[in-house]
Amino acid sequence: MKPADRIEFFRRLAELNPNPTTELEYDTPFELLVAVILSAQATDVGVNKATRRLFPVANTPAAILALGEDGLKRYISTIGLFNAKAKNVIATCRILLERHGGEVPQTREALEALPGVGRKTANVVLNTAFGQPTMAVDTHIFRVANRTGLAPGKDVRAVEDRLMKAVPRDYLQDAHHWLILHGRYVCKARRPECPVCVVRDLCAYRQKTVLPAG
């Protein structure tokens, strides 16, 4: 995609949604961190249902640690891989209390040292909680970047690196949210909604869908 087209691509997405954000529900960086850990291979809707029960009862590292692993599982058992996630969240809470005064660290190195936190999760927290211009590439962003020609790459890291260079600086802070939402609701995996897509004329996808006849 040409530089001028990339600028227009994000200008249109920004016009459509001036203040994009995550669909995970949270009030503090710690709540966001827990929600993102729980969201691996799960839907935001499913995570929100669980955290609406959990956070009123325990929404700090100390409070969740007091629940214990079995106690935490009772709140998140509707989420996939909840056993492993409960173990990781408990271990993360312990580290936050022992090494970071109960606060969520604001560096990639410290975040990725937490159990259950990989590069994508760290990017989400750095971007959404702390306002850093990072790019958390999930399946939606990977698909949109490749399908549109915005920033094609063979793997997640390649797409992240290309997006960090390709996204115009003025749009970098919110780009990850725009791309996720676009992939989730318009540029869908099985059948993209090309007829209603605001960037369809900028997109390199050759098998664009059309409105059904009649």
Side-chain angles (χ1 to χ4, degrees):
M1 192 178 290
K2 298 176 181 178
D5 288 345
R6 293 198 297 267
I7 293 173
E8 180 63 13
F9 183 98
F10 284 102
R11 188 197 68 77
R12 294 181 192 179
L13 293 182
E15 185 177 47
L16 196 66
N17 185 0
N19 299 296
T21 189
T22 178
E23 292 187 320
L24 291 170
E25 297 172 358
Y26 74 99
D27 289 320
T28 66
F30 176 72
E31 288 186 358
L32 177 64
L33 174 63
V34 171
V36 180
I37 292 173
L38 296 179
S39 72
Q41 299 181 49
T43 65
D44 288 358
V45 171
V47 172
N48 289 338
K49 287 181 179 178
T51 57
R52 284 172 197 157
R53 298 190 300 270
L54 172 64
F55 289 158
V57 175
N59 70 339
T60 65
I64 288 183
L65 201 58
L67 283 179
E69 198 171 316
D70 290 336
L72 177 57
K73 287 179 185 179
R74 288 198 290 270
Y75 291 95
I76 67 171
S77 60
T78 55
I79 300 174
L81 307 176
F82 72 92
N83 285 313
K85 291 175 181 178
K87 183 177 181 179
N88 284 335
V89 169
I90 290 294
T92 284
C93 289
R94 188 172 290 113
I95 292 173
L96 290 178
L97 288 167
E98 291 175 354
R99 303 181 191 173
H100 303 287
E103 299 295 322
V104 177
Q106 298 187 34
T107 67
R108 179 187 303 284
E109 182 181 20
L111 283 168
E112 290 187 12
L114 299 172
V117 178
R119 186 176 182 86
K120 184 178 75 173
T121 295
N123 279 337
V124 172
V125 173
L126 290 172
N127 177 271
T128 306
F130 300 125
Q132 297 185 27
T134 58
M135 190 67 62
V137 179
D138 67 351
T139 55
H140 296 301
I141 292 183
F142 185 80
R143 179 175 64 256
V144 171
N146 277 286
R147 182 183 275 169
T148 63
L150 176 65
K154 293 183 178 181
D155 55 46
V156 168
R157 183 59 190 272
V159 168
E160 178 186 334
D161 291 344
R162 293 198 69 171
L163 281 170
M164 291 300 292
K165 295 177 181 178
V167 176
R169 183 179 298 273
D170 290 346
Y171 296 108
L172 191 56
Q173 175 61 42
D174 293 321
H176 130 249
H177 294 302
W178 282 316
L179 293 174
I180 285 176
L181 295 171
H182 189 66
R184 184 173 290 165
Y185 296 112
V186 181
C187 197
K188 301 174 183 176
R190 293 186 179 180
R191 182 177 172 81
E193 304 283 347
C194 300
V196 299
C197 176
V198 297
V199 293
R200 59 189 175 275
D201 58 310
L202 305 173
C203 172
Y205 187 52
R206 293 182 180 180
Q207 290 81 41
K208 289 186 174 68
T209 57
V210 296
L211 289 171

